[in-house]
Amino acid sequence: EVQLVESGGGLVQPGRSLRLSCTASGFTFGDYAMSWVRQAPGKGLEWVGFIRSKAYGGTTEYAASVKGRFTISRDDSKSIAYLQMNSLKTEDTAVYYCTRDPLGGDYWGQGTLVTVSS
Amino acid sequence: QSVLTQPPSASGTPGQRVTISCSGSSSNIGSNTVNWYQQLPGTAPKLLIYSNNQRPSGVPDRFSGSKSGTSASLAISGLQSEDEADYYCAAWDDSLKGVFGGGTKLTVL
């Protein structure tokens, strides 16, 4: 059974950093691109970015709203995708989902809440 | 302001057919495929339609998708109370960014 489990969310002050993890199981993690999608409270879905599989260079793409502040990486040996978030802003407050696929695929995690507030 | 435009709300009665539209541009819907997602209250989104009109295993054939030019549509036939949810369209943009619609809240009257 495919499972994606996000962790690492919490309350953080503006300007600080936080790293989210997405632990995968039930499939060959290294064969897939992985993406992050977020949802601010009461708002719609926003694509954050994705990382290609190593077979496609393991490179990344980001939304303009997070480029330069957020970094997606992966550890295929541990089946984990990471979202490093730096210089956090109050508008980054959201539930962050990881999903299999560059855009938002057939499997999603349950999400982890990140609250940016002083 | 979302890149893809959806109506904020839609409604129908049980058994009815409803459609939800998604409007984009030549750089996203016009040149790439469209996905649709269903999000029930308090849960993660679920892939409903991919590649414009393909249903993942387990999605009832009451749900169908179509695309024409720079617009796409999701149709739900035989509307049921459990279809009450938020629906989102999404597409890849030629600028190598993913874009979502603002979402449509479907109410089953």
Side-chain angles (χ1 to χ4, degrees):
Chain A
E1 179 194 5
V2 172
Q3 279 197 315
L4 299 173
V5 178
E6 301 93 340
S7 59
L11 175 63
V12 61
Q13 293 179 326
R16 305 297 291 266
S17 299
L18 200 64
R19 188 179 79 162
L20 306 183
S21 300
C22 170
T23 303
S25 61
F27 65 101
T28 305
F29 180 78
D31 289 349
Y32 289 84
M34 298 295 295
S35 59
W36 290 89
V37 175
R38 68 183 181 182
Q39 185 169 36
K43 302 296 184 183
L45 301 174
E46 180 186 13
W47 181 82
V48 172
F50 88 102
I51 185 166
R52 297 175 177 84
S53 66
K54 289 290 196 296
Y56 289 89
T59 52
T60 53
E61 306 291 343
Y62 300 96
S65 58
V66 306
K67 192 170 184 178
R69 300 187 299 121
F70 289 13
T71 302
I72 299 173
S73 60
R74 63 190 301 154
D75 185 336
D76 290 350
S77 68
K78 296 181 179 178
S79 296
I80 300 177
Y82 299 101
L83 178 63
Q84 176 69 43
M85 303 184 292
N86 299 332
S87 303
L88 281 161
K89 306 175 181 180
T90 55
E91 52 263 42
D92 295 319
T93 294
V95 173
Y96 284 75
Y97 297 101
C98 72
T99 170
R100 189 175 81 168
D101 193 78
L103 179 56
D106 48 356
Y107 292 97
W108 294 60
Q110 83 289 349
T112 187
L113 176 63
V114 173
T115 303
V116 184
S117 174
S118 54
Chain B
Q1 192 81 353
S2 301
V3 174
L4 305 182
T5 300
Q6 297 179 235
S9 63
S11 62
T13 56
Q16 201 172 22
R17 182 178 188 270
V18 298
T19 61
I20 297 171
S21 62
C22 175
S23 177
S25 68
S26 58
S27 68
N28 41 66
I29 293 179
S31 52
N32 297 286
T33 61
V34 177
N35 292 350
W36 288 91
Y37 305 86
Q38 177 192 59
Q39 187 175 34
L40 297 170
T43 69
K46 169 190 172 183
L47 181 65
L48 208 57
I49 298 288
Y50 67 96
S51 296
N52 302 328
N53 55 18
Q54 301 299 302
R55 285 186 306 276
S57 174
V59 173
D61 59 6
R62 301 186 297 105
F63 295 91
S64 62
S66 63
K67 187 184 103 167
S68 179
T70 59
S71 294
S73 291
L74 172 70
I76 308 172
S77 59
L79 196 63
Q80 300 179 2
S81 57
E82 55 260 41
D83 298 333
E84 190 159 288
D86 294 326
Y87 293 84
Y88 295 90
C89 59
W92 199 243
D93 191 275
D94 290 345
S95 62
L96 297 182
K97 314 294 181 206
V99 291
F100 279 88
T104 298
K105 183 177 183 61
L106 176 63
T107 301
V108 181
L109 302 170

